[in-house]
Amino acid sequence: MNTKQTIAIIGATGSMGTAISKSLAKGNYRLLLFSSKTEQLQALASQIQTLHPSADVIVSQCPTDASWEADIIILAVPYQAQQELAGKIKQVANQKIVISIANPLNETYDGLVTAPDTSAAEQLQLLLPHSKIVKAFSTVFAADFAQPVISQKQADAFIAGDDQEALEVVEQLVSIAGFNPIVAGGLQVSRTLESMTLLLIQLNIRYDYNWLAGWKILHH
């Protein structure tokens, strides 16, 4: 009998955090939701219980406590908040899977604030050296979670990481969320994935995709 895994979603009330929380509530997981916006957090938990009455959802008052209890930690926060949060969870995240969804965009969406030889995910790995960092959910928009099939095609969601076991666990999460998971390579590939998201945002702005757009690898 498989033990139910616990997932801490830090930053659960943001657009991505909300989308991830609602989509993973469909799976057989225990969800620990944290956000500094307490009222919004309670409302989100109530919405999830209404949508999925059997969902195991708990509101947490502290990111450290939530991460301590969790098997998997999802940092659903902007890149700018990554370093501070990493400091709060470092001692309780040893050997755990930590998912980086952050894209280090500049304010005008015409570039990344990270240097070309690094990425938000690689920086998180340096901050959490004993955690298994996986880049995931970074190449899809929040609106895609409610509609992962776009123009009759299931959107691909790319994953990058150096730990094979962790990648397999995250592949399953991505599938439950409704996307087609594609392991793109080691954590260094997250540099490419973060640039892909920048491009998708630029294309969304130019062609008015209404934030419902994604990548699809077409192949035989």
Side-chain angles (χ1 to χ4, degrees):
M1 184 177 174
N2 292 329
T3 306
K4 185 186 285 190
Q5 286 184 307
T6 299
I7 303 174
I9 302 172
I10 310 300
T13 57
S15 58
M16 284 295 289
T18 296
I20 290 169
S21 300
K22 287 180 176 178
S23 66
L24 294 185
K26 294 179 289 187
N28 185 33
Y29 300 105
R30 178 171 175 256
L31 299 183
L32 292 177
L33 310 182
F34 169 79
S35 169
S36 56
K37 297 175 179 176
T38 312
E39 285 184 19
Q40 289 183 31
L41 192 62
Q42 293 288 355
L44 173 61
S46 297
Q47 284 173 23
I48 290 172
Q49 294 286 188
T50 302
L51 289 168
H52 308 285
S54 62
D56 189 351
V57 182
I58 298 166
V59 167
S60 179
Q61 305 300 320
C62 170
T64 310
D65 290 347
S67 300
W68 180 79
E69 286 190 59
D71 302 297
I72 303 163
I73 303 162
I74 301 177
L75 291 188
V77 296
Y79 170 68
Q80 292 76 7
Q82 177 174 279
Q83 186 167 349
E84 182 188 350
L85 267 171
K88 290 180 179 178
I89 69 171
K90 184 176 182 179
Q91 299 304 318
V92 296
N94 283 352
Q95 300 308 312
K96 294 182 180 181
I97 297 170
V98 180
I99 296 176
S100 161
I101 77 161
N103 289 300
L105 309 168
N106 66 17
E107 290 182 3
T108 49
Y109 301 120
D110 60 1
L112 302 175
V113 296
T114 44
D117 63 349
T118 189
S119 64
E122 289 170 285
Q123 290 184 4
L124 185 61
Q125 183 68 83
L126 292 174
L127 293 167
L128 301 173
H130 304 298
S131 300
K132 303 168 186 177
I133 307 300
V134 177
K135 192 77 186 178
F137 298 122
S138 68
T139 57
V140 293
F141 292 150
D144 296 335
F145 284 81
Q147 193 176 324
V149 177
I150 304 168
S151 294
Q152 300 178 322
K153 290 183 175 63
Q154 184 184 27
D156 293 333
F158 298 90
I159 306 166
D162 294 331
D163 186 286
Q164 184 57 40
E165 221 173 287
L167 287 171
E168 290 171 8
V169 170
V170 176
E171 271 189 277
Q172 190 176 11
L173 293 185
V174 168
S175 291
I176 287 168
F179 301 102
N180 177 49
I182 294 182
V183 176
L187 198 62
Q188 187 173 320
V189 178
S190 57
R191 302 171 193 177
T192 301
L193 301 186
E194 291 170 11
S195 292
M196 284 170 64
T197 305
L198 173 64
L199 176 59
L200 191 61
I201 289 170
Q202 291 170 340
L203 293 173
N204 175 79
I205 292 168
R206 174 170 290 183
Y207 295 108
D208 192 21
Y209 296 146
N210 200 29
W211 300 103
L212 190 62
W215 296 108
K216 187 68 190 173
I217 301 295
L218 300 177
H219 58 87
H220 288 295

